[in-house]
Amino acid sequence: MKDLNLISQLTYYFTHNGLYVLQQFNRTFLMAIYGVLLGAIVGIPIGIWISQHRKLSPAIIGIANVIQTIPSLAMLSILMLGLGLGENTVIVTVFLYSLLPIIKNTYTGMLSVNPHVLDAGKGMGMTRWQVLTTIRIPLSLAVMIAGIRNALVVGIGITVIGSFIGAGGLGDIIIRGTNATNGGAIILAGALPTALMAIITDIVLSLIEKRLTPKTSSAR
């Protein structure tokens, strides 16, 4: 009976607040996307660069690891001192947490390219830049996408926590439910779309990753 009552309350909430939930869904998703895009813009070139300068890779990946070990709520609080409340702080936080998976996967992908393929490219007279852009990067794309996929799923969770610093999003609904007397349905109204967003994002990016996986590497 309690489960049926909870379902009816959840249905009632979505019926009367569906547009509001959709707005917060979009807000959460966009904050996560912007943060991960920034992470990709910065992290992919760094990953490519350290694959060419391997002696520096432990230091760069180590710095990204240190950032990753800081609790997200603590990171939000630290950045809030400089950036203030709101979306920008959350986006920068997602950006920082995106660096490790993106840099590491880009670096791993670049190193996993078959050396015989690289030698063939060089034997055809390709310059170092041509080898990078026409062989290394295309063959590493699937691994790079895997890093972006991990970063985005983590980023969605961080944007929900960002509601504590006034960023809005689905976290606002969850917080409202925790403050209500019988707020189980309201909490679910925020938690279920968040979980759905993470699952759909993971599935879509995993499909892209499979499409980009070279047939030669999948056959190994």
Side-chain angles (χ1 to χ4, degrees):
M1 290 298 292
K2 285 185 178 180
D3 290 339
L4 289 174
N5 188 38
L6 185 63
I7 292 170
S8 64
Q9 288 177 1
L10 183 62
T11 305
Y12 178 86
Y13 186 88
F14 277 127
T15 303
H16 290 80
N17 300 279
L19 184 60
Y20 172 72
V21 173
L22 182 61
Q23 289 172 344
Q24 299 309 312
F25 183 96
N26 292 335
R27 189 183 185 93
T28 298
F29 186 66
L30 287 175
M31 284 190 288
I33 284 287
Y34 290 152
V36 172
L37 279 177
L38 284 173
I41 290 169
V42 174
I44 290 175
I46 291 175
I48 294 171
W49 185 71
I50 62 174
S51 72
Q52 308 294 317
H53 304 82
R54 297 187 195 179
K55 290 182 180 179
L56 295 173
S57 61
I60 300 296
I61 293 174
I63 292 169
N65 262 317
V66 169
I67 293 172
Q68 198 82 6
T69 58
I70 301 172
S72 53
L73 194 56
M75 180 69 79
L76 286 166
S77 302
I78 293 167
L79 293 175
M80 184 181 66
L81 298 175
L83 299 174
L85 299 170
E87 298 175 359
N88 290 338
T89 301
V90 175
I91 291 171
V92 173
T93 303
V94 173
F95 157 72
L96 291 173
Y97 280 95
S98 299
L99 289 176
L100 178 62
I102 292 174
I103 291 174
K104 202 167 184 178
N105 276 53
T106 302
Y107 174 72
T108 303
M110 295 292 287
L111 295 185
S112 66
V113 176
N114 192 325
H116 298 299
V117 178
L118 298 176
D119 290 339
K122 292 172 185 175
M124 293 171 63
M126 288 185 177
T127 63
R128 190 173 180 179
W129 175 253
Q130 286 174 327
V131 169
L132 176 66
T133 55
T134 61
I135 298 177
R136 279 189 180 273
I137 292 177
L139 292 178
S140 305
L141 275 178
V143 185
M144 293 181 191
I145 292 294
I148 292 172
R149 171 185 164 195
N150 293 336
L152 190 53
V153 171
V154 171
I156 289 169
I158 293 171
T159 55
V160 173
I161 299 172
S163 296
F164 285 102
I165 61 165
L170 291 168
D172 274 3
I173 301 174
I174 296 172
I175 292 171
R176 190 173 300 174
T178 58
N179 293 330
T181 306
N182 294 310
I186 302 175
I187 293 172
L188 284 176
L192 290 177
T194 302
L196 185 64
M197 185 192 306
I199 291 168
I200 291 174
T201 299
D202 188 64
I203 291 171
V204 170
L205 288 178
S206 68
L207 291 174
I208 295 172
E209 182 187 337
K210 287 178 183 176
R211 289 291 297 270
L212 292 173
T213 301
K215 292 181 181 178
T216 53
S217 64
S218 62
R220 259 186 297 177

